[in-house]
Amino acid sequence: MPEQSDHIQIPRHVAIVMDGNGRWARQRGRPRTYGHKVGSSKVHDIVEESKELGIEVLTLFAFSSENWKRPKSEVNFLMELMIQMLKKEIRKLEEKGVQVRFIGQRELLPEKLLKVIADSEARTRNNNALILQIAASYGGQWDITRAARVLAEKVARGELLPEQIDEKTLAAELAFSDLPDADLFIRTGGELRISNFLLWQAAYAEFYFTDVLWPDFSVDEYHNALRHFSGRQRRFGQTGEQVSG
Ligand code: FPP
């Protein structure tokens, strides 16, 4: 049994791998795309609850670098789903003070989605009630590799010495380097994997894995994850005595 706590400690940054849409649909004899559609409708409640609870950053893994290998019809469906969701929700997100950001390899995304992303980011850039980061065509390895390349280019231009490269200079080139790292990493769908989501930025995250498939993930389930987080002592490499003393 995971440790539970009645007192809810609010993480600053929650990251979620929304897994299990395909299985959820198959269990009902429906196509995988139906699972994605129902799954996308759950995003709204979790965003709303995150804002209500005072979470600063919510990062959702909508499409990974590896998801491009899925059948073209499913890839197209997911791209269109992101476009439709953003178009439908952006006005409310804007009014509610949510700042929308995308992280990932943008040049691979279709033009139509890029336009909606640019519009959503521009319209919400000054909002600060919650930062909603949508990871699309994102992979932790891509993120770290790209940061390494930026540093290599700086070295090549003579702007940086190799010995000046440390955790801080590398972290500064990663996606969302202006935001706190993930405190709580949730994965639905029963798999015990990170699947190339936040690698560097989850270095000290607490992990919460649940068998619940994403289309069944509710606000109550979210609270379970937060209670689980509250029950953990985060030591960041120190001993338990150092942290509590
Ligand atoms: C994983 O389930 C889920 C995805 C690859 C897509 C998740 C995307 C959404 C819920 C839409 C979100 C959109 C926005 C704008 C945030 P899976 O297909 O791997 O399920 P399986 O493991 O059961 O096959």
Side-chain angles (χ1 to χ4, degrees):
M1 270 298 283
E3 296 166 57
Q4 296 272 317
S5 165
D6 287 339
H7 163 75
I8 289 200
Q9 187 194 337
I10 299 300
R12 292 183 68 190
H13 183 168
V14 177
I16 310 183
V17 178
M18 307 177 289
D19 195 22
N21 293 341
R23 277 166 287 159
W24 187 90
R26 286 290 180 223
Q27 285 170 5
R28 285 158 182 77
R30 306 289 295 264
R32 295 175 52 80
T33 48
Y34 177 66
H36 293 315
K37 188 151 178 45
V38 176
S40 70
S41 71
K42 296 289 158 164
V43 169
H44 180 277
D45 291 352
I46 300 305
V47 171
E48 184 72 26
E49 186 61 8
S50 302
K51 188 178 80 72
E52 292 305 315
L53 290 170
I55 288 163
E56 290 170 47
V57 188
L58 174 67
T59 303
L60 301 176
F61 208 9
F63 193 89
S64 75
S65 306
E66 290 70 33
N67 285 155
W68 291 112
K69 295 183 206 145
R70 291 192 175 196
K72 205 167 166 10
S73 57
E74 186 172 340
V75 169
N76 290 344
F77 184 91
L78 285 166
M79 295 298 144
E80 193 56 38
L81 189 61
M82 281 191 275
I83 294 168
Q84 296 310 328
M85 265 192 78
L86 278 174
K87 280 190 171 167
K88 185 164 153 265
E89 301 287 342
I90 193 62
R91 188 197 295 263
K92 253 184 278 162
L93 292 168
E94 195 178 3
E95 283 168 10
K96 292 192 171 193
V98 177
Q99 184 185 130
V100 178
R101 292 191 190 185
F102 269 77
I103 53 169
Q105 204 171 357
R106 291 186 188 226
E107 61 273 25
L108 299 183
L109 297 174
E111 196 58 40
K112 201 170 149 199
L113 175 57
L114 287 173
K115 277 207 179 103
V116 185
I117 290 176
D119 178 58
S120 309
E121 289 183 330
R123 281 167 67 173
T124 63
R125 63 182 308 143
N126 296 319
N127 285 351
N128 55 17
L130 168 74
I131 296 175
L132 170 62
Q133 288 201 114
I134 300 169
S137 189
Y138 179 86
Q141 291 175 342
W142 163 80
D143 197 3
I144 295 168
T145 306
R146 191 190 48 115
R149 192 181 312 129
V150 171
L151 293 180
E153 284 163 0
K154 285 188 179 176
V155 170
R157 287 197 301 267
E159 295 165 15
L160 187 73
L161 295 168
E163 53 270 33
Q164 287 173 315
I165 296 176
D166 56 15
E167 288 90 336
K168 224 171 134 200
T169 44
L170 196 135
E173 302 300 341
L174 293 170
F176 66 92
S177 58
D178 57 329
L179 300 179
D181 283 351
D183 299 300
L184 172 61
F185 184 117
I186 299 173
R187 180 175 187 140
T188 63
E191 310 284 1
L192 307 181
R193 288 194 288 268
I194 301 181
S195 295
N196 195 21
F197 192 24
L198 309 180
L199 296 180
W200 183 285
Q201 301 93 334
Y204 285 100
E206 297 294 340
F207 285 82
Y208 181 81
F209 294 102
T210 172
D211 288 337
V212 172
L213 304 175
W214 177 254
D216 288 329
F217 194 75
S218 60
V219 168
D220 277 352
E221 296 289 345
Y222 194 24
H223 288 172
N224 284 341
L226 292 166
R227 265 193 291 275
H228 187 82
F229 174 81
S230 305
R232 305 271 184 87
Q233 184 194 47
R234 303 183 75 204
R235 292 193 288 274
F236 297 100
Q238 294 183 293
T239 66
E241 290 71 30
Q242 282 176 303
V243 175
S244 55

